[in-house]
Amino acid sequence: MSPTPERPLRADASRNQERLLEVAAEAFGREGAGASLKAIAMEAGVGIGTLYRRFPTREALVESVYRNEVARLCASSPVLLGQLHAVEALRAWMRQFVDFMATKHAMADALRQVLASEDDRMHTRFLLRDAIATLLDAGVAEGTIRPGLDAYDLMMALGGVTLIADGPEQRDMAMRLLDFLIDGVRAA
């Protein structure tokens, strides 16, 4: 017997879920995965029962926040390209990536338990690589980004930059290092 498809959420329930994910991402970024679920629900403007109805465990919330943030980051590539030239879209995307990674680092212990499989980790890497490739391809077509760059290599370099982006001073350094990466991808 096949599983029953999940019914789409009502509009208000969908808004509540999105708000919970947004507030939880901010809270986890500030306080780590141990942030108070009651405080998250309160800040999102819902009751704790609503939080637990959508996310029965802390781990379920952590995983949903992570997957939602990955999806939002990846979906921002074409949006940024619609607003900016490719090099500036890439810069803006990389800044978002630094913020995403700061939240991910704060949830690292919980994510190790939730995303235990290598398949999960590789799937995320491919999604992020494809988002970067979209930006690089647009820049090559514009003539502003040099051809022949490997999106996965740039993602790994960007990942290295994010390792130091923990705290205000380090974040400032990470932003300066992003400028070096941007200079390295520009067409001559």
Side-chain angles (χ1 to χ4, degrees), residues 124-179:
T124 299
R125 287 184 194 129
F126 291 142
L127 290 172
L128 294 170
R129 179 208 58 202
D130 291 349
I132 293 171
T134 297
L135 294 160
L136 292 177
D137 291 346
V140 169
E142 262 181 21
T144 56
I145 292 179
R146 62 188 176 93
L149 296 171
D150 184 283
Y152 192 79
D153 290 347
L154 182 56
M155 182 182 73
M156 296 308 286
L158 187 54
V161 167
T162 65
L163 290 175
I164 62 156
D166 188 21
E169 297 84 22
Q170 291 85 356
R171 188 175 192 290
D172 290 344
M173 179 187 285
M175 293 302 131
R176 290 191 307 273
L177 292 173
L178 291 183
D179 289 337

Side-chain angles (χ1 to χ4, degrees), residues 75-95:
S76 72
S77 284
V79 172
L80 290 168
L81 285 169
Q83 300 168 344
L84 304 165
H85 291 289
V87 170
E88 291 311 312
L90 178 61
R91 180 190 314 273
W93 191 91
M94 291 189 329
R95 287 173 178 258

Side-chain angles (χ1 to χ4, degrees), residues 6 13 15 23 27 41 43 51 63 70 72 82 107 120 160 166:
E6 201 172 303
R15 280 191 302 275
V23 169
E43 188 178 336
L51 184 145
E63 180 178 7
V70 168
R72 286 175 50 164
M107 301 185 315
D120 276 339
D166 188 21

Side-chain angles (χ1 to χ4, degrees), residues 6-159:
E6 201 172 303
R7 289 188 343 211
L9 294 176
R10 295 183 333 256
D12 61 330
S14 181
R15 280 191 302 275
N16 288 343
Q17 181 171 316
E18 284 302 311
R19 183 72 181 133
L20 279 166
L21 291 171
E22 179 184 315
V23 169
E26 292 169 6
F28 292 156
R30 276 190 318 266
E31 304 165 38
S36 164
L37 298 183
K38 188 174 180 180
I40 289 170
M42 215 162 68
E43 188 178 336
V46 301
I48 191 71
T50 299
L51 184 145
Y52 279 117
R53 198 169 22 263
R54 295 304 311 150
F55 311 104
T57 65
R58 177 179 299 276
E59 292 76 21
L61 179 59
V62 167
E63 180 178 7
S64 292
V65 165
Y66 175 73
R67 291 188 190 288
N68 189 58
E69 292 300 300
V70 168
R72 286 175 50 164
L73 181 60
C74 292
S76 72
S77 284
V79 172
L80 290 168
L81 285 169
Q83 300 168 344
L84 304 165
H85 291 289
V87 170
E88 291 311 312
L90 178 61
R91 180 190 314 273
W93 191 91
M94 291 189 329
R95 287 173 178 258
Q96 290 176 357
F97 184 87
V98 169
D99 294 338
F100 161 75
M101 290 299 288
T103 300
K104 181 182 174 215
H105 288 312
M107 301 185 315
D109 290 338
L111 282 173
R112 273 189 212 92
Q113 296 170 8
V114 172
L115 302 174
S117 82
E118 183 62 22
D119 287 346
D120 276 339
R121 290 189 294 275
M122 288 307 294
H123 179 69
T124 299
R125 287 184 194 129
F126 291 142
L127 290 172
L128 294 170
R129 179 208 58 202
D130 291 349
I132 293 171
T134 297
L135 294 160
L136 292 177
D137 291 346
V140 169
E142 262 181 21
T144 56
I145 292 179
R146 62 188 176 93
L149 296 171
D150 184 283
Y152 192 79
D153 290 347
L154 182 56
M155 182 182 73
M156 296 308 286
L158 187 54

